[in-house]
mmCIF file of all heavy atoms in Angstrom:
data_model
loop_
_atom_site.group_PDB
_atom_site.id
_atom_site.type_symbol
_atom_site.label_atom_id
_atom_site.label_comp_id
_atom_site.label_asym_id
_atom_site.label_seq_id
_atom_site.Cartn_x
_atom_site.Cartn_y
_atom_site.Cartn_z
ATOM 1 N N PRO A 1084 -6.212 5.781 2.337
ATOM 2 C CA PRO A 1084 -5.310 5.812 3.498
ATOM 3 C C PRO A 1084 -4.489 7.091 3.539
ATOM 4 O O PRO A 1084 -4.178 7.671 2.494
ATOM 5 C CB PRO A 1084 -4.407 4.605 3.268
ATOM 6 C CG PRO A 1084 -4.422 4.386 1.795
ATOM 7 C CD PRO A 1084 -5.803 4.797 1.337
ATOM 8 N N ASN A 1085 -4.119 7.526 4.755
ATOM 9 C CA ASN A 1085 -3.177 8.642 4.832
ATOM 10 C C ASN A 1085 -1.783 8.102 4.510
ATOM 11 O O ASN A 1085 -1.582 6.884 4.405
ATOM 12 C CB ASN A 1085 -3.261 9.369 6.184
ATOM 13 C CG ASN A 1085 -2.755 8.566 7.358
ATOM 14 O OD1 ASN A 1085 -1.712 7.902 7.298
ATOM 15 N ND2 ASN A 1085 -3.487 8.610 8.459
ATOM 16 N N ILE A 1086 -0.821 8.989 4.343
ATOM 17 C CA ILE A 1086 0.503 8.563 3.882
ATOM 18 C C ILE A 1086 1.187 7.633 4.876
ATOM 19 O O ILE A 1086 1.867 6.679 4.485
ATOM 20 C CB ILE A 1086 1.410 9.762 3.506
ATOM 21 C CG1 ILE A 1086 2.679 9.291 2.775
ATOM 22 C CG2 ILE A 1086 1.731 10.611 4.723
ATOM 23 C CD1 ILE A 1086 2.426 8.570 1.480
ATOM 24 N N ASN A 1087 0.994 7.862 6.171
ATOM 25 C CA ASN A 1087 1.608 6.975 7.165
ATOM 26 C C ASN A 1087 1.016 5.576 7.098
ATOM 27 O O ASN A 1087 1.741 4.589 7.214
ATOM 28 C CB ASN A 1087 1.455 7.546 8.578
ATOM 29 C CG ASN A 1087 2.305 8.776 8.791
ATOM 30 O OD1 ASN A 1087 3.290 8.991 8.096
ATOM 31 N ND2 ASN A 1087 1.925 9.599 9.748
ATOM 32 N N GLU A 1088 -0.304 5.488 6.922
ATOM 33 C CA GLU A 1088 -0.950 4.179 6.804
ATOM 34 C C GLU A 1088 -0.481 3.455 5.549
ATOM 35 O O GLU A 1088 -0.150 2.265 5.592
ATOM 36 C CB GLU A 1088 -2.465 4.347 6.771
ATOM 37 C CG GLU A 1088 -3.042 4.828 8.075
ATOM 38 C CD GLU A 1088 -4.495 5.239 7.962
ATOM 39 O OE1 GLU A 1088 -4.908 5.749 6.892
ATOM 40 O OE2 GLU A 1088 -5.222 5.061 8.959
ATOM 41 N N LEU A 1089 -0.451 4.169 4.427
ATOM 42 C CA LEU A 1089 -0.049 3.557 3.168
ATOM 43 C C LEU A 1089 1.394 3.048 3.243
ATOM 44 O O LEU A 1089 1.722 1.976 2.748
ATOM 45 C CB LEU A 1089 -0.217 4.553 2.025
ATOM 46 C CG LEU A 1089 -0.072 4.014 0.615
ATOM 47 C CD1 LEU A 1089 -1.069 2.900 0.329
ATOM 48 C CD2 LEU A 1089 -0.248 5.145 -0.392
ATOM 49 N N GLN A 1090 2.230 3.816 3.906
ATOM 50 C CA GLN A 1090 3.637 3.441 4.026
ATOM 51 C C GLN A 1090 3.840 2.185 4.869
ATOM 52 O O GLN A 1090 4.847 1.498 4.706
ATOM 53 C CB GLN A 1090 4.422 4.596 4.645
ATOM 54 C CG GLN A 1090 5.582 5.006 3.809
ATOM 55 C CD GLN A 1090 6.353 6.143 4.438
ATOM 56 O OE1 GLN A 1090 5.796 7.029 5.066
ATOM 57 N NE2 GLN A 1090 7.646 6.117 4.249
ATOM 58 N N THR A 1091 2.881 1.850 5.743
ATOM 59 C CA THR A 1091 3.034 0.631 6.550
ATOM 60 C C THR A 1091 3.040 -0.621 5.688
ATOM 61 O O THR A 1091 3.495 -1.668 6.138
ATOM 62 C CB THR A 1091 1.928 0.484 7.625
ATOM 63 O OG1 THR A 1091 0.661 0.278 6.996
ATOM 64 C CG2 THR A 1091 1.896 1.674 8.566
ATOM 65 N N LEU A 1092 2.543 -0.519 4.459
ATOM 66 C CA LEU A 1092 2.534 -1.677 3.561
ATOM 67 C C LEU A 1092 3.883 -1.899 2.876
ATOM 68 O O LEU A 1092 4.146 -2.971 2.343
ATOM 69 C CB LEU A 1092 1.454 -1.520 2.497
ATOM 70 C CG LEU A 1092 0.018 -1.479 2.997
ATOM 71 C CD1 LEU A 1092 -0.936 -1.340 1.819
ATOM 72 C CD2 LEU A 1092 -0.311 -2.702 3.824
ATOM 73 N N THR A 1093 4.732 -0.877 2.881
ATOM 74 C CA THR A 1093 6.015 -0.973 2.189
ATOM 75 C C THR A 1093 6.944 -1.950 2.889
ATOM 76 O O THR A 1093 7.156 -1.871 4.086
ATOM 77 C CB THR A 1093 6.693 0.410 2.104
ATOM 78 O OG1 THR A 1093 5.803 1.322 1.473
ATOM 79 C CG2 THR A 1093 7.979 0.345 1.314
ATOM 80 N N ASP A 1094 7.484 -2.873 2.119
ATOM 81 C CA ASP A 1094 8.473 -3.828 2.605
ATOM 82 C C ASP A 1094 9.769 -3.511 1.861
ATOM 83 O O ASP A 1094 9.908 -3.829 0.685
ATOM 84 C CB ASP A 1094 8.004 -5.255 2.327
ATOM 85 C CG ASP A 1094 8.949 -6.309 2.881
ATOM 86 O OD1 ASP A 1094 10.162 -6.027 3.030
ATOM 87 O OD2 ASP A 1094 8.485 -7.424 3.138
ATOM 88 N N TRP A 1095 10.717 -2.861 2.570
ATOM 89 C CA TRP A 1095 11.960 -2.424 1.940
ATOM 90 C C TRP A 1095 12.936 -3.571 1.722
ATOM 91 O O TRP A 1095 14.038 -3.363 1.234
ATOM 92 C CB TRP A 1095 12.608 -1.299 2.747
ATOM 93 C CG TRP A 1095 11.922 0.012 2.526
ATOM 94 C CD1 TRP A 1095 12.131 0.874 1.481
ATOM 95 C CD2 TRP A 1095 10.908 0.604 3.320
ATOM 96 N NE1 TRP A 1095 11.296 1.959 1.591
ATOM 97 C CE2 TRP A 1095 10.529 1.829 2.729
ATOM 98 C CE3 TRP A 1095 10.258 0.230 4.487
ATOM 99 C CZ2 TRP A 1095 9.567 2.657 3.241
ATOM 100 C CZ3 TRP A 1095 9.286 1.067 5.014
ATOM 101 C CH2 TRP A 1095 8.958 2.264 4.388
ATOM 102 N N GLY A 1096 12.524 -4.789 2.012
ATOM 103 C CA GLY A 1096 13.318 -5.971 1.692
ATOM 104 C C GLY A 1096 12.897 -6.573 0.362
ATOM 105 O O GLY A 1096 13.390 -7.623 -0.031
ATOM 106 N N ARG A 1097 11.975 -5.920 -0.339
ATOM 107 C CA ARG A 1097 11.467 -6.426 -1.623
ATOM 108 C C ARG A 1097 11.416 -5.268 -2.630
ATOM 109 O O ARG A 1097 11.347 -4.115 -2.245
ATOM 110 C CB ARG A 1097 10.058 -6.985 -1.472
ATOM 111 C CG ARG A 1097 9.915 -8.074 -0.447
ATOM 112 C CD ARG A 1097 8.437 -8.444 -0.258
ATOM 113 N NE ARG A 1097 8.229 -9.316 0.865
ATOM 114 C CZ ARG A 1097 8.319 -10.636 0.845
ATOM 115 N NH1 ARG A 1097 8.632 -11.254 -0.277
ATOM 116 N NH2 ARG A 1097 8.108 -11.356 1.927
ATOM 117 N N VAL A 1098 11.390 -5.622 -3.896
ATOM 118 C CA VAL A 1098 11.182 -4.639 -4.959
ATOM 119 C C VAL A 1098 10.281 -5.250 -6.014
ATOM 120 O O VAL A 1098 10.178 -6.466 -6.130
ATOM 121 C CB VAL A 1098 12.506 -4.167 -5.624
ATOM 122 C CG1 VAL A 1098 13.326 -3.351 -4.664
ATOM 123 C CG2 VAL A 1098 13.294 -5.339 -6.165
ATOM 124 N N GLY A 1099 9.635 -4.388 -6.782
ATOM 125 C CA GLY A 1099 8.841 -4.770 -7.950
ATOM 126 C C GLY A 1099 7.686 -5.735 -7.719
ATOM 127 O O GLY A 1099 7.625 -6.705 -8.439
ATOM 128 N N PRO A 1100 6.780 -5.570 -6.800
ATOM 129 C CA PRO A 1100 6.589 -4.438 -5.893
ATOM 130 C C PRO A 1100 7.213 -4.654 -4.507
ATOM 131 O O PRO A 1100 7.442 -5.782 -4.079
ATOM 132 C CB PRO A 1100 5.072 -4.351 -5.765
ATOM 133 C CG PRO A 1100 4.570 -5.729 -5.967
ATOM 134 C CD PRO A 1100 5.556 -6.378 -6.915
ATOM 135 N N ALA A 1101 7.460 -3.537 -3.842
ATOM 136 C CA ALA A 1101 8.044 -3.529 -2.498
ATOM 137 C C ALA A 1101 6.927 -3.633 -1.466
ATOM 138 O O ALA A 1101 6.601 -2.678 -0.764
ATOM 139 C CB ALA A 1101 8.858 -2.251 -2.292
ATOM 140 N N ILE A 1102 6.329 -4.823 -1.412
ATOM 141 C CA ILE A 1102 5.181 -5.047 -0.537
ATOM 142 C C ILE A 1102 5.121 -6.542 -0.225
ATOM 143 O O ILE A 1102 5.614 -7.359 -1.006
ATOM 144 C CB ILE A 1102 3.885 -4.545 -1.218
ATOM 145 C CG1 ILE A 1102 2.727 -4.425 -0.231
ATOM 146 C CG2 ILE A 1102 3.537 -5.379 -2.426
ATOM 147 C CD1 ILE A 1102 1.531 -3.648 -0.801
#
Side-chain angles (χ1 to χ4, degrees):
N1085 69 43
I1086 191 61
N1087 290 338
E1088 292 169 327
L1089 190 58
Q1090 234 180 324
T1091 67
L1092 296 181
T1093 304
D1094 183 334
W1095 283 277
R1097 303 173 190 274
V1098 292
I1102 195 167

